[in-house]
Amino acid sequence: MNEALKELLDLLDLEQIELDIFRGRSPEERIQRVFGGQVAAQALVAAGRTVPEDRHVHSLHAYFIRPGDPTIPIVYNVERLRDGRSFTTRRIQAIQHGKAIFTMSASFHVFEEGVTHQASVMPAVPEPETLASFQDRMYNLVGDNPDLRDWLSRPRPVDSRYASPLTWEAYQNPELRSAQTNVWFRYQADLPDDPLLHVVLAAYASDFTLVDTILLAHGMAWGASNVMGASLDHAMWFHRPFRADDWLLYAQESPWSGGARGLARGEMFTASGDLVVSVVQEAMIRLTK
């Protein structure tokens, strides 16, 4: 387990300061705002700690309200909306400087038998072991830019392997523009069997590349184009158990953008082709001068 993953797992181990009130922190990095996937993952941890162990997350719906300040802790207030015979519902607010920066509703469900089908088919892409890492691909693109090379050299908790063009590649070559992205990812460690942990880690990773899919369609890239963006809302549905320390293919597409916003959706498949997670996100995409 590398140091970045150890740090992430430590960030997800929230401090309980009162009944249904938890405190989380952010990594010590030179960033202007808290990564959205971190806030969503920590909020889900807080909700999960108020729910019986036999109930597993099946959906979450979240709004990013204000940028998070990485220099101070985040307080998570959990509201117990419902504890039914089969479903449990929680509302979570993330608070900084006395104001909500993020709100989420999460629903938990006991296991039940039912009809089963899967219409989605995993895209045919190369195996992850045959693909170069995200960092290696990017090193060939950024040249001597010291800030980007320093950012790329930092350890990451997630191993990502793109089976499609990177935004920087499409920025340099317009023929590579596409509204679809396929990314293999996994956490490189033998993680505990706790189902909530694997769901939380998938939520954390889900926010890394969805907005990039919108940029890819227009040949734009962070750090290269005159564009700024931020996640507006985020929804996930968890269909069946999976492990975040096994390879998952994150197939993403952007069906629309306009009015300084863009929509992206994704599906996560196991290596055997089982659909395990569905994701939808809208983001602000604003051109700057």
Side-chain angles (χ1 to χ4, degrees), residues 237-255:
W237 294 264
F238 303 93
H239 307 308
R240 65 182 83 189
F242 61 89
R243 295 191 65 88
D245 49 6
D246 290 335
W247 285 112
L248 296 170
L249 179 66
Y250 196 8
Q252 301 151 80
E253 64 173 355
S254 177

Side-chain angles (χ1 to χ4, degrees), residues 65-80:
I65 301 172
R66 295 180 177 87
D69 181 350
T71 66
I72 65 169
I74 305 172
V75 175
Y76 295 92
N77 292 331
V78 180
E79 183 180 358
R80 303 185 184 222

